[in-house]
Amino acid sequence: MIKREAYMTQIRPFMDQDIVKVLTGIRRCGKSVMLQLIREELLARGIRKEQIELINFESRAAAYVQDVDASYAHIKQLADTGPGKLYLLLDEIQELDGWETMINSCMIDFDVDIYITGSNAKMLSGELATYLAGRYVGFTIYPFSFQEVLQALGDVPPQEAFRLYLQRGGMPFLYQFPMDEQNVRQYLDDIYSSIILKDIAQRNKIRDLELLKRVLQYFISNIGNPFSASTITRYLKNEKRKISNETLYNYIDYCKTACLLHLVPREDISGKQLLQFQEKIYLTDHGFREALLGTNLRDINQVLENIVYLELLRRGYTVTVGRLGRSEVDLVAKQGKDTLYIQVSYLLASEDTVQREFSVLEKIPDNYPKYVVTMDEIDRGRNGIKHVHIRDFLLMDRYG
């Protein structure tokens, strides 16, 4: 079991504190393992195992997980009869209707330390935020980073590990034991179908499932490309289907809430303003793209950009797409007072490509770090702009 220390470092300061820890992320990205790691940490601190209760609300092994009152009664019995403070680890809690009120009641009624997970990005912006104002902290869990894939694969050389990562993505299960590509695709396709059916269609009562799938296929085919409603309308028209702008943006919102897609705004670098048009779509795990389309290696520029975008999110950056005049900076990453400008390309195979990737960064009138990230083995950095192989970029301790 990979320790996922980057997340544990974030969570540790809040452990055993009177504040609810909320872990969100796409299905099967490792949230349940995070609860196991938290349990191990609590035991290492001297907490008795009788004080720790881990409940999976996707399970039907116990009847009480299906009803909020029964769940509360179960927790009350544990709190009343236990040997001390109760530590609650509640997995995929969004499956329990009314869970927000139950968490609030537990915080008020019992001596309890609570950790919850869910596959819903809006868990912290709904009723929970109302009930627990100021008494919760959120953590976003992502699929494995390349660094975590290297740890999971052990002695596999970085070049081979990255090839696997490029095609498979970062779903932790795929790196637990050897799998052939057919089994990898089947596993990813099953997760993707579950997200569409359970986290998007059923939760939002979508009737036209086929239209939703077509829209998603368009997004997944075009990750890293500018998006506009009109382009999708034209695409669907060619497919003999119609969609309103309202429905389209609802679908995008549902996919964001299910932690599947990220809609990234543009920023005017000179004016420091966000521009509400031509956003880009990125995918939480690029392995889905390979499973559905089989084109990650063919469309490698898009996939590399997606990988870098997710790595920046893992490290706590807020990311936009930069615009400077008529030129575009692939990724502008900000964290506090720090800013990074990043261009991503497969190879600097010609002088035209070199000029395109470096020249826009050279025009930016500030001294923040600037990177060109590619798969070239030769360093072609110039004028203070760093040229870094993507493997090295993903493994750097810090940027700057």
Side-chain angles (χ1 to χ4, degrees):
M1 187 163 59
I2 300 300
K3 295 299 183 182
R4 311 208 78 174
E5 185 59 25
Y7 297 115
M8 289 304 301
T9 298
Q10 297 174 40
I11 296 168
R12 229 172 249 124
F14 300 97
M15 296 181 71
D16 218 353
Q17 302 295 322
D18 187 27
I19 188 168
V20 178
K21 279 67 68 176
V22 184
L23 284 63
T24 58
I26 195 169
R27 283 185 180 272
R28 306 297 173 255
C29 71
K31 300 185 299 296
S32 299
V33 170
M34 289 306 307
L35 291 185
Q36 294 287 353
L37 293 172
I38 290 167
R39 183 178 185 275
E40 288 183 5
E41 180 97 7
L42 291 170
L43 292 172
R45 293 185 178 197
I47 306 301
R48 297 167 62 179
K49 64 180 181 180
E50 294 84 3
Q51 295 175 256
I52 305 172
E53 178 74 359
L54 198 161
I55 304 172
N56 185 343
F57 285 90
E58 286 190 310
S59 170
R60 291 294 180 261
Y64 62 80
V65 301
Q66 302 178 47
D67 178 78
V68 68
D69 293 329
S71 294
Y72 177 82
H74 173 72
I75 293 168
K76 184 178 188 302
Q77 182 182 20
L78 293 172
D80 290 345
T81 61
K85 185 173 186 174
L86 178 62
Y87 294 81
L88 284 178
L89 282 60
L90 309 177
D91 202 8
E92 295 293 353
I93 197 170
Q94 82 278 344
E95 299 297 325
L96 180 68
D97 290 336
W99 64 270
E100 299 96 338
T101 57
M102 185 189 76
I103 294 297
N104 185 55
S105 297
C106 289
M107 290 287 288
I108 294 171
D109 298 342
F110 312 128
D111 182 15
V112 66
D113 186 27
I114 301 178
Y115 306 79
I116 64 178
T117 77
S119 303
N120 188 317
K122 290 188 176 179
M123 288 179 69
L124 295 178
S125 61
E127 292 187 34
L128 183 66
T130 301
Y131 288 120
L132 295 179
R135 291 186 294 154
Y136 66 87
V137 61
F139 307 93
T140 303
I141 309 300
Y142 297 100
F144 273 175
S145 66
F146 176 55
Q147 189 169 55
E148 290 173 319
V149 166
L150 272 180
Q151 294 175 32
L153 291 176
D155 296 331
V156 175
Q159 295 88 338
E160 174 62 14
F162 187 73
R163 186 193 67 78
L164 291 174
Y165 183 56
L166 191 62
Q167 292 186 271
R168 296 182 175 187
M171 286 298 177
F173 180 78
L174 299 178
Y175 299 97
Q176 291 184 9
F177 49 84
M179 299 179 69
D180 63 34
E181 294 310 309
Q182 181 177 351
N183 289 334
V184 168
R185 289 191 178 192
Q186 183 64 54
Y187 176 76
L188 289 170
D189 188 62
D190 289 345
I191 297 176
Y192 179 75
S193 297
S194 177
I195 292 169
I196 290 178
L197 292 173
K198 196 167 187 179
D199 296 331
I200 301 176
Q202 289 181 13
R203 184 162 295 159
N204 299 289
K205 298 180 174 57
I206 296 174
R207 296 180 180 179
D208 195 340
L209 190 59
E210 182 61 29
L211 180 61
L212 172 66
K213 288 181 177 179
R214 286 174 184 261
V215 170
L216 270 171
Q217 183 168 2
Y218 177 88
F219 285 145
I220 291 171
S221 299
N222 289 278
I223 58 171
N225 291 332
F227 148 77
S228 70
S230 60
T231 58
I232 294 190
T233 301
R234 288 195 298 270
Y235 163 76
L236 290 174
K237 187 176 181 179
N238 292 333
E239 299 282 315
K240 311 300 183 186
R241 300 302 302 267
K242 293 182 179 180
I243 190 170
S244 69
N245 283 355
E246 181 182 5
T247 299
L248 175 61
Y249 280 99
N250 281 340
Y251 283 0
I252 293 173
D253 189 57
Y254 301 154
C255 293
K256 288 166 59 181
T257 300
C259 305
L260 179 63
L261 296 180
H262 299 259
L263 186 63
V264 182
R266 286 177 175 266
E267 174 186 358
D268 188 296
I269 294 175
S270 298
K272 306 298 182 184
Q273 294 178 331
L274 291 181
L275 307 172
Q276 299 302 317
F277 65 93
Q278 292 286 297
E279 299 106 322
K280 284 188 177 183
I281 293 274
Y282 293 99
L283 193 58
T284 294
D285 190 81
H286 57 279
F288 291 131
R289 193 179 192 281
E290 176 70 20
L292 295 170
L293 306 177
T295 60
N296 276 2
L297 295 181
R298 189 185 70 197
D299 301 327
I300 194 167
N301 269 325
Q302 294 171 252
V303 178
L304 294 180
E305 190 172 317
N306 202 107
I307 288 172
V308 173
Y309 169 76
L310 261 295
E311 183 64 25
L312 294 168
L313 292 191
R314 287 188 188 93
R315 298 185 183 220
Y317 287 93
T318 299
V319 185
T320 59
V321 178
R323 191 186 75 172
L324 189 64
R326 295 184 178 181
S327 300
E328 179 181 286
V329 178
D330 291 334
L331 302 167
V332 180
K334 297 182 179 180
Q335 190 176 68
K337 296 181 179 180
D338 296 329
T339 299
L340 303 173
Y341 301 102
I342 303 165
Q343 291 288 88
V344 184
S345 183
Y346 173 36
L347 294 172
L348 301 179
S350 68
E351 284 304 316
D352 287 343
T353 305
V354 174
Q355 181 65 14
R356 183 185 70 236
E357 302 300 342
F358 280 88
S359 63
V360 62
L361 297 179
E362 290 169 340
K363 295 174 185 175
I364 298 174
D366 63 42
N367 295 317
Y368 289 118
K370 301 171 180 67
Y371 291 90
V372 174
V373 178
T374 74
M375 291 189 68
D376 292 283
E377 299 293 345
I378 298 174
D379 183 355
R380 302 191 67 172
R382 71 187 198 194
N383 297 330
I385 299 170
K386 300 175 184 178
H387 179 207
V388 184
H389 194 290
I390 188 169
R391 291 194 308 268
D392 297 329
F393 185 84
L394 299 174
L395 297 176
M396 291 171 69
D397 290 334
R398 61 184 302 274
Y399 303 132

